[in-house]
Amino acid sequence: MKIVDHIANAKKTLVSFELLPPIKGQSIQGIFNTIDPLMEFNPPFIDVTYLREDYIYKQHPNGLLEKVAYRKRPSTVATCAAIMNKYKVDAVPHLICGGFTKEETENALIDLQFLGIDNVLVLRGDARKSEGSFVPTPGGHAYASDLLQHVVNMNNGKYLHDYMDSTEKTDFCIGVAGYPEKHFEAPNLETDFQYLKQKVDLGANFIVTQMFFDVNKYKAFVDKCRAEGIHVPIIPGLKPLTTSKQLTSLPKVFHLDIPLELSKAVQACKNEKDVKNVGIEWMIQQCKDLIKIGAPVLHFYTMGNPEPTKRIIEGVF
């Protein structure tokens, strides 16, 4: 079922989860161990991320180094299939620009269609760790809007190669990312909204936000979207603060603000257990406030650790 239909049919705020596919060489059981404790909350869908390849350097006997592309977590599509088979819920794979040619993207979308996957979340993706900024793959898409257009084209029966006759239309429900505190590469919030509006006009069906810790910023983001003519569902992305190091690492990595009240509470903690409790309690209240203002789904970034998410949901409902 499409995410927009799950939301339309819901009588209360839904909960959903996002997780990482297994590291190469690891078992799918680790994914199941993350999902199992959360299934009692009846998530209608589960997201599976896609991380682009990076480079490793292989040393040869003659001492020369060879630059080799390496994808640490290569199994997004297979993980989605395993989740759907085991739990009978919708799996939402992320699609990214980096690391894929247009041909590879199209083939992946065909695989997803054959698997009965109804939803995709299209993203540009991050830069490689070894590069300072995003570098498109030769023959691939450079922007999320280009990738979005590719999916929309296939939904209209238009594939890359014009010589293909009698092409079947795909029917993906397409999500895109939104940034309540502005994408870090956008020159200003107004420009960021213009890009988001462009994606919705191209055919995006729902928005999932970057994590945030101030509900007022989500509300202002939603209000601005509505004022700009963006009327698709806007799903808040959520992750509790669980360690004191995250006071600096989360703003650095995700370009977000930590409210003063939360940072002071964390700094007053005597140990990391207290920090986790503070972060979870903050997120419980944040979720309650989100429900009050009509958030359609509470979407948790689990990062392979179900325990904080489980405690939060139990404290909310």
Side-chain angles (χ1 to χ4, degrees):
M1 184 185 292
K2 295 182 178 181
I3 286 178
V4 292
D5 293 330
H6 282 299
I7 292 172
N9 295 336
K11 296 181 180 179
K12 64 177 183 178
T13 300
L14 303 170
V15 295
S16 62
F17 313 111
E18 180 174 306
L19 47 82
L20 301 166
I23 293 174
K24 183 180 287 189
Q26 291 187 351
S27 164
I28 191 68
Q29 188 58 47
I31 298 299
F32 296 156
N33 292 344
T34 297
I35 298 174
D36 285 344
L38 302 174
M39 288 308 297
E40 65 178 284
F41 305 115
N42 300 313
F45 61 91
I46 296 172
D47 277 31
V48 182
T49 66
Y50 222 136
L51 303 182
R52 78 171 299 170
E53 88 287 7
D54 214 323
Y55 291 124
I56 58 175
Y57 291 88
K58 180 180 179 182
Q59 187 169 16
H60 292 277
N62 61 5
L64 295 177
L65 295 176
E66 179 186 3
K67 189 177 182 181
V68 179
Y70 173 77
R71 193 178 297 277
K72 186 178 180 180
R73 298 177 184 269
S75 52
T76 294
V77 174
T79 300
C80 286
I83 288 171
M84 293 172 63
N85 179 63
K86 181 174 175 65
Y87 298 104
K88 312 305 178 188
V89 300
D90 284 308
V92 184
H94 293 193
L95 290 178
I96 61 174
C97 298
F100 299 92
T101 65
K102 295 174 185 178
E103 184 76 25
E104 289 169 336
T105 295
E106 185 155 286
N107 291 341
L109 286 163
I110 291 171
D111 286 344
L112 295 176
Q113 181 192 24
F114 288 176
L115 286 169
I117 290 174
D118 296 322
N119 307 279
V120 292
L121 184 67
V122 300
L123 309 162
R124 187 197 66 179
D126 297 327
R128 295 186 184 93
K129 293 179 180 178
S130 56
E131 296 172 341
S133 59
F134 180 83
V135 177
T137 296
H141 294 297
Y143 300 100
S145 56
D146 297 332
L147 178 54
L148 169 64
Q149 184 65 68
H150 193 155
V151 184
V152 170
N153 286 346
M154 291 181 67
N155 279 353
N156 291 324
K158 181 180 178 182
Y159 288 65
L160 285 174
H161 303 297
D162 294 334
Y163 62 79
M164 296 174 61
D165 297 323
S166 303
T167 52
E168 183 174 331
K169 294 180 181 180
T170 57
D171 190 27
F172 293 110
C173 180
I174 311 168
V176 295
Y179 298 86
E181 300 178 67
K182 186 182 79 65
H183 190 279
F184 74 99
E185 292 179 356
N188 51 67
L189 193 57
E190 205 62 42
T191 301
D192 209 23
F193 271 105
Q194 291 176 13
Y195 291 140
L196 184 60
K197 179 66 162 58
Q198 178 191 27
K199 293 174 188 176
V200 173
D201 290 344
L202 284 172
N205 304 110
F206 65 96
I207 297 166
V208 181
T209 77
Q210 173 66 280
M211 72 176 76
F212 58 90
F213 293 92
D214 185 344
V215 173
N216 290 326
K217 292 187 177 181
Y218 169 81
K219 185 178 185 304
F221 178 75
V222 173
D223 290 345
K224 175 70 171 174
C225 284
R226 303 314 183 214
E228 295 287 339
I230 299 172
H231 298 293
V232 301
I234 301 175
I235 298 171
L238 304 167
K239 182 188 181 305
L241 190 151
T242 55
T243 70
S244 56
K245 291 182 179 178
Q246 290 174 338
L247 280 181
T248 54
S249 65
L250 291 179
K252 179 180 179 180
V253 174
F254 297 102
H255 307 277
L256 51 79
D257 288 335
I258 305 260
L260 179 59
E261 183 181 351
L262 176 57
S263 64
K264 283 186 174 181
V266 169
Q267 289 166 346
C269 290
K270 296 180 179 179
N271 53 57
E272 292 299 311
K273 181 180 179 181
D274 289 346
V275 171
K276 179 186 282 190
N277 290 335
V278 165
I280 287 173
E281 287 301 319
W282 182 276
M283 186 57 63
I284 288 172
Q285 186 58 52
Q286 186 171 327
C287 289
K288 290 179 178 179
D289 291 341
L290 285 167
I291 291 171
K292 288 179 183 178
I293 63 175
V297 184
L298 303 177
H299 184 67
F300 293 93
Y301 302 125
T302 64
M303 305 303 289
N305 181 11
E307 185 257 342
T309 298
K310 181 177 173 64
R311 286 177 57 186
I312 291 164
I313 299 173
E314 289 172 342
V316 172
F317 295 100

